[in-house]
Amino acid sequence: MRSRSDLDRSPGAGRRRRLCAAAVSAGMAAGALVSLPVGDASAAAGIQQRVAVPAYFNPGDGNLWAQLSSSAPGAGLAVANPQTGPGDSKDTGYANAIKAAHNAGTKVVGYVDSGYLGTKGWTAPDGGTSIDDWVDGAERNIDKWYSYYGGSGLDGIFFDDGLTACGTPSDANAYVDAYKRLRSYVKGKDAGAEVVANPGASPEECYTQAADTLVTFEGTYDDYVNHYGDDRESWEATADPSKIWHLIHTTGSQARMQNAIALSKQRNAGYVYATDDDNSHAPGQEWGNPWDTLPSYWSAEVNTVG
């Protein structure tokens, strides 16, 4: 399973690091937010939040899937990711985990890599590096997800490795139109499906029409506290909170988690996840995986959010 490093992840990107962020209003500057107590921040925001987990761990590894989908309370959303996507065959363990989570009220979306639509030169699943090659490859993986797990209650699709810019100088909407095509393809499978796109940073407003939810921050706790205001797109301040998901790793204590949740409410995120897992990785590997377990303070987190 691919997981994110803290490297820049898309062209369009002066805005970056799965953080970024522009002061959404003069009263919401990052420094001012950091100083707010947890209770005050939550009350000031007054938004409903759910925990949303990139569940990049196998259902056979302990009882992590059972924990995240507990109804007392559990996650509102979880990303299933067997093999950096659906793999080439149905996995009974995942089928059972998805069904149990769905029945407990946790929406489960399936991981699909969109490969920055070829802008980094990556090869699409079926070959080629063009936008159309990546869209075609993503559609084939969507087909697999619904073939293998549609009957288990799959609730939608999560597109990783997204972009922040709408398009290119020669085609202003080249990128966002591709994600709109993918969104329509998913909705063709299930009109009520949840479509999530992960640029990892604040995308241009055009993307609000390309996905139901956007991961507009993915990074460390320190970045979230100290650098969130860098190049944040202004649309986030007044968006429906369900449009926005913040992912915060290397959050090393329960107190830090509580502060991160408080800040996320001030920052209008309807979905949030903080973890004390970090992004360390073995020598020679490009990525670590800060999403391969649940945090040590899991119960406290779901109660803080819920």
Side-chain angles (χ1 to χ4, degrees):
M1 335 168 185
R2 181 172 293 133
S3 60
R4 307 292 123 245
S5 70
D6 283 327
L7 302 174
D8 267 8
R9 306 193 317 142
S10 74
R15 62 190 41 107
R16 218 47 169 200
R17 233 338 330 121
R18 18 250 217 179
L19 19 109
C20 350
V24 292
S25 73
M28 286 188 177
L33 288 171
V34 173
S35 66
L36 285 172
V38 172
D40 290 349
S42 301
I47 66 171
Q48 295 296 314
Q49 279 188 317
R50 299 297 302 273
V51 176
V53 182
Y56 296 1
F57 38 79
N58 192 287
D61 296 341
N63 64 342
L64 297 176
W65 269 90
Q67 288 182 60
L68 77 83
S69 59
S70 167
S71 58
L77 186 71
V79 183
N81 187 9
Q83 296 179 30
T84 314
D88 292 322
S89 62
K90 180 178 178 178
D91 183 311
T92 301
Y94 269 97
N96 292 338
I98 290 168
K99 184 175 183 178
H102 173 86
N103 289 344
T106 298
K107 291 184 178 181
V108 181
V109 292
Y111 181 105
V112 170
D113 189 7
S114 66
Y116 306 107
L117 299 180
T119 57
K120 291 183 178 290
W122 295 359
T123 301
D126 300 328
T129 59
S130 71
I131 292 175
D132 285 341
D133 290 332
W134 273 99
V135 170
D136 289 345
E139 288 177 349
R140 300 294 76 75
N141 277 323
I142 293 165
D143 290 342
K144 289 180 180 180
W145 271 110
Y146 278 95
S147 173
Y148 303 159
Y149 304 110
S152 299
L154 185 73
D155 292 292
I157 297 294
F158 173 93
F159 293 109
D160 200 11
D161 292 328
L163 299 173
T164 56
C166 299
T168 68
S170 60
D171 186 343
N173 293 305
Y175 302 144
V176 71
D177 283 349
Y179 285 101
K180 286 180 178 179
R181 285 167 58 192
L182 289 173
R183 180 180 185 273
S184 294
Y185 195 80
V186 175
K187 299 290 187 178
K189 299 283 187 181
D190 174 7
E194 183 81 9
V195 178
V196 183
N198 179 21
S202 189
E204 295 179 358
E205 189 171 5
C206 59
Y207 281 95
T208 61
Q209 303 302 310
D212 301 309
T213 300
L214 295 158
V215 177
T216 67
F217 177 95
E218 183 184 348
T220 67
Y221 173 82
D222 286 343
D223 282 332
Y224 196 59
V225 169
N226 297 313
H227 302 292
Y228 178 85
D230 301 341
D231 300 323
R232 178 66 41 178
E233 293 285 343
S234 60
W235 65 265
E236 290 194 49
T238 55
D240 182 333
S242 67
K243 277 284 183 188
I244 301 170
W245 179 3
H246 291 170
L247 288 169
I248 310 144
H249 62 77
T250 322
T251 306
S253 68
Q254 184 169 317
R256 286 189 167 202
M257 173 274 290
Q258 290 172 326
N259 188 52
I261 300 304
L263 292 175
S264 74
K265 292 188 179 190
Q266 286 289 300
R267 293 165 178 176
N268 201 34
Y271 290 106
V272 64
Y273 180 64
T275 180
D276 51 4
D277 202 351
D278 62 30
N279 202 37
S280 59
H281 52 88
Q285 291 186 352
E286 187 174 359
W287 290 291
N289 186 359
W291 320 119
D292 59 358
T293 189
L294 291 176
S296 61
Y297 41 68
W298 169 249
S299 294
E301 178 166 348
V302 292
N303 281 301
T304 296
V305 172

